[in-house]
Amino acid sequence: MSDYNFAYLDEQTKRMIRRAILKGIAVPGYQVPFASREMPMPYGWGTGGVQVTAACLTPEDTLKVIDQGADDTTNAVSIRKFFEKTADVATTEHTDKASVIQTRHRIPEAPLTSDQILVYQVPIPEPLRFLEPRETETRKMHALEEYGLMHVKLYEDIARHGNIATAYAYPVKVEGRYVMDPSPIPKFDNPKLESPAIQLFGAGREQRIYAIPPHTKVVSLDFEDYPFDPSKADHPCDLCGASHTYLDEVITDDAGGRMFVCSDTDYCASRQAQGHRGRLSPKETAA
Amino acid sequence: MTPLLSVRNLAKHYGARIGCTDVGFDLYPGEVLGIVGESGSGKSTLLNCLAGHLEPDTGEVLFDTRSDGPRDTLKMSEPERRMLGRTDWAFVHQNARDGLRMGVSAGGNVGERLMAVGARHYGDIRAQATDWLGRVEIAEDRIDDRPSAFSGGMQQRLQIARNLVTGPRLVFMDEPTGGLDVSVQARLLDLLRGLVREMGLSAIIVTHDLAVVRLLADRLMVMKSGHVVEQGLTDQVLDDPQHGYTQLLVSSILQV
């Protein structure tokens, strides 16, 4: 038995966050301000995501935490431990067994279902931030739907690199209204934003919550002659052989050796368990 | 003929001080109005009130909109007013840095207004940007350079291109030649005069440089301490000033 209130936050705070979440779901893509609390972890480690998760959790939930697709990195492990300790909920590494998934920078490869909630950790919720530094002005631009500036950024990409070089945090338009930063997920994941699951975005330092309700239309911005391209490394996974997943490039020695592996560790492991093999898979031992 | 812009009883006070008061004039399509006066005479306040950057205390500013005819811009909703600011109006700042995005390339600066009104074809936007850079005498190969790499005169010309690309009907200019040396000034004036005539623009130019209004403006308004003290045809006002202050202003020009 722990001395923490369920899921760390006090009940009034959770109510406040739930109100912000409900408003966010009612106005897809709109950034709802909320009174972000100090959490026992530094800003940038997912304080926003943790607060949203805490407000969503029930004792019956099963929680999965991923960081850049992996279940076993510091950020994922420490947040999972945090909720094991403060909420005593079941945790899992399997996407299909989880009811709440907190994620940093990836959407799981396995398709999500309508009884799941995906919580994103967001460092900077304002897609226009680096184009227009004034918050008063960006809010006005959202309110009046003045989004020409977003295309100026894409124009600059093409002018400088010959194509839209924005590879992550690729801006999207939600339900034909608000332009939204999907948090720094790779643009490969953008098509997966149209999902049957509820997607919640929490930015702790910036004190904003926004949401994409299930089956909401999400369009990645582009030009007519430079259409959106959800690109990925042009390789199959070296462990499970998948050619349809987002890959991490891993340097293996100092002689130019490298391998490409699925960034979603759970998906890769389950494929390997099903017998899929890649270029560098360990040879099967004779049973 | 309907005036493009018609101003009645415009006043703006800063607390008990007068910004500008009792201003009224009509501006017809294709006409260039110069506003001159010393520093602190309310020129910029007046211009900012007209362009919707400041809210005047009283008065009305009727603009002849394309769709609905004359409408009071002060009573418009903010989205409508901002839409005007991106399409039919243009504002050239004295300091090019105020009117440009310094972190965005010249092409992006010119293209911004196009994208703001819905252009979504990269090739077209770039072609128009190239065309406009040519019109303001900026070499085509500078299109991907940032304005910070440009000279003061080039920055000012870029600002003008960026403003005129959507084909506005009314241009507000706040000291467009301020801070430029005389030869660059002369070229800029030449360029402006050409563009104004060619596109049939109406313009309101605020300046304290009488040579600028002599070259560009059809009509002239002289301001002092927030009041309009004299207005009329440019040549008439400059050659035969009636008000004491205008006489002082005209006689203060240095003769080389």
Side-chain angles (χ1 to χ4, degrees):
Chain A
M1 183 60 206
S2 81
D3 294 328
Y4 290 107
N5 188 38
F6 178 74
Y8 186 76
L9 292 172
D10 62 275
E11 295 302 316
Q12 287 301 319
T13 300
K14 285 194 275 185
R15 282 178 63 177
M16 176 269 293
I17 295 172
R18 285 173 196 144
R19 277 198 291 269
I21 292 173
L22 288 175
K23 183 169 178 181
I25 289 174
V27 193
Y30 173 69
Q31 299 168 42
V32 186
F34 79 110
S36 178
R37 298 290 190 252
E38 289 274 347
M39 297 303 282
M41 62 181 72
Y43 287 125
W45 281 63
T47 52
V50 164
Q51 289 178 77
V52 172
T53 302
C56 290
L57 275 183
T58 64
E60 294 77 39
D61 271 320
T62 308
L63 179 70
K64 171 184 161 82
V65 185
I66 48 178
D67 170 11
Q68 310 262 17
D71 288 278
D72 52 2
T73 53
T74 319
N75 196 246
V77 170
S78 58
I79 292 177
R80 195 160 57 226
K81 282 248 166 64
F82 176 75
F83 281 115
E84 279 172 2
K85 185 166 184 182
T86 61
D88 200 23
V89 289
T91 54
T92 179
E93 295 195 357
H94 299 296
T95 303
D96 53 348
K97 295 208 176 60
S99 56
V100 177
I101 304 172
Q102 179 169 339
T103 176
R104 172 170 178 263
H105 302 190
R106 269 318 302 282
I107 297 176
E109 302 286 358
L112 301 174
T113 60
S114 56
D115 47 10
Q116 290 180 312
I117 298 175
L118 187 60
V119 178
Y120 295 78
Q121 305 171 194
V122 183
I124 294 167
E126 179 51 73
L128 301 160
R129 172 67 52 84
F130 293 108
L131 303 155
E132 175 55 67
R134 287 168 297 178
E135 182 82 2
T136 47
E137 187 65 18
T138 55
R139 273 192 229 176
K140 195 169 275 183
M141 290 160 83
H142 281 295
L144 303 180
E145 227 178 319
E146 289 179 2
Y147 290 130
L149 200 52
M150 208 67 248
H151 274 86
V152 174
K153 178 181 152 62
L154 302 180
Y155 170 95
E156 287 291 288
D157 265 5
I158 302 174
R160 204 167 301 155
H161 305 289
N163 55 44
I164 299 180
T166 303
Y168 65 95
Y170 193 102
V172 294
K173 194 165 208 177
V174 182
E175 202 62 22
R177 177 61 181 84
Y178 283 98
V179 165
M180 190 193 88
D181 184 337
S183 88
I185 58 171
K187 66 177 170 183
F188 175 79
D189 281 345
N190 270 21
K192 286 189 257 173
L193 289 165
E194 286 189 15
S195 158
I198 294 180
Q199 299 173 77
L200 305 174
F201 298 77
R205 180 181 45 206
E206 305 285 330
Q207 314 202 325
R208 293 288 184 279
I209 285 173
Y210 51 104
I212 303 178
H215 306 291
T216 302
K217 194 166 157 232
V218 181
V219 180
S220 304
L221 301 179
D222 58 4
F223 284 104
E224 287 159 17
D225 45 348
Y226 285 83
F228 172 70
D229 169 32
S231 60
K232 63 179 276 277
D234 190 16
H235 288 270
C237 171
D238 282 336
L239 293 180
C240 75
S243 55
H244 59 280
T245 57
Y246 191 74
L247 302 175
D248 286 340
E249 184 180 4
V250 182
I251 307 289
T252 51
D253 54 33
D254 59 0
R258 62 195 56 202
M259 65 189 291
F260 289 89
V261 292
C262 293
S263 95
D264 187 334
T265 51
D266 165 54
Y267 190 73
C268 195
S270 60
R271 271 179 61 88
Q272 289 177 64
Q274 287 163 21
H276 294 282
R277 287 290 173 271
R279 185 173 63 92
L280 297 175
S281 298
K283 293 283 171 283
E284 284 185 58
T285 47
Chain B
M1 196 174 185
T2 350
L4 185 67
L5 190 77
S6 153
V7 180
R8 300 276 169 267
N9 290 322
L10 196 76
K12 169 78 186 170
H13 293 261
Y14 297 107
R17 289 178 210 286
I18 296 172
C20 62
T21 185
D22 200 19
V23 180
F25 64 87
D26 287 326
L27 183 75
Y28 287 89
E31 195 179 29
V32 179
L33 173 72
I35 303 176
V36 296
E38 60 193 3
S39 297
S41 61
K43 312 184 295 282
S44 297
T45 299
L46 173 60
L47 195 72
N48 284 321
C49 285
L50 297 177
H53 298 171
L54 280 177
E55 199 180 335
D57 300 329
T58 58
E60 47 187 22
V61 179
L62 297 167
F63 179 73
D64 186 17
T65 57
R66 283 183 213 236
S67 47
D68 306 330
R71 289 191 52 194
D72 190 347
T73 60
L74 304 176
K75 294 206 177 77
M76 276 184 183
S77 66
E78 190 168 13
E80 287 179 296
R81 198 159 50 230
R82 282 171 71 114
M83 190 66 193
L84 267 187
R86 294 200 295 274
T87 53
D88 269 355
W89 289 1
F91 197 101
V92 178
H93 292 265
Q94 171 175 13
N95 193 339
R97 283 163 184 274
D98 297 337
L100 292 173
R101 289 194 189 276
M102 298 308 280
V104 168
S105 71
N109 264 297
V110 178
E112 181 179 342
R113 272 172 80 107
L114 293 171
M115 291 181 248
V117 295
R120 292 291 180 265
H121 190 284
Y122 176 82
D124 292 351
I125 294 168
R126 193 153 174 96
Q128 282 212 49
T130 313
D131 174 44
W132 266 99
L133 288 183
R135 289 211 221 176
V136 296
E137 301 167 13
I138 294 175
E140 203 180 307
D141 60 355
R142 302 297 302 269
I143 188 168
D144 291 330
D145 291 351
R146 294 188 175 182
S148 44
F150 286 7
S151 71
M154 281 171 81
Q155 287 181 3
Q156 198 56 277
R157 294 205 299 276
L158 179 62
Q159 195 195 178
I160 288 165
R162 166 188 160 90
N163 272 291
L164 297 189
V165 67
T166 47
R169 293 189 294 156
L170 176 59
V171 187
F172 301 100
M173 297 192 217
D174 191 3
E175 309 260 10
T177 58
L180 302 178
D181 69 60
V182 279
S183 61
V184 174
Q185 238 183 58
R187 277 177 60 201
L188 187 76
L189 285 174
D190 221 32
L191 177 79
L192 271 178
R193 192 160 56 162
L195 288 173
V196 165
R197 295 283 176 269
E198 182 190 323
M199 298 176 69
L201 294 176
S202 302
I204 298 178
I205 300 180
V206 160
T207 180
H208 48 233
D209 188 339
L210 292 181
V212 170
V213 287
R214 175 77 93 174
L215 272 172
L216 283 178
D218 304 311
R219 274 196 308 138
L220 196 58
M221 218 160 83
V222 184
M223 291 189 72
K224 172 145 182 23
S225 318
H227 296 268
V228 176
V229 293
E230 189 167 355
Q231 55 178 320
L233 296 175
T234 303
D235 291 344
Q236 181 193 333
V237 173
L238 291 182
D239 293 341
D240 183 18
Q242 300 295 311
H243 190 271
Y245 173 71
T246 319
Q247 292 169 354
L248 178 77
L249 199 67
V250 171
S251 61
S252 318
I253 301 177
L254 292 175
Q255 301 294 333
V256 184

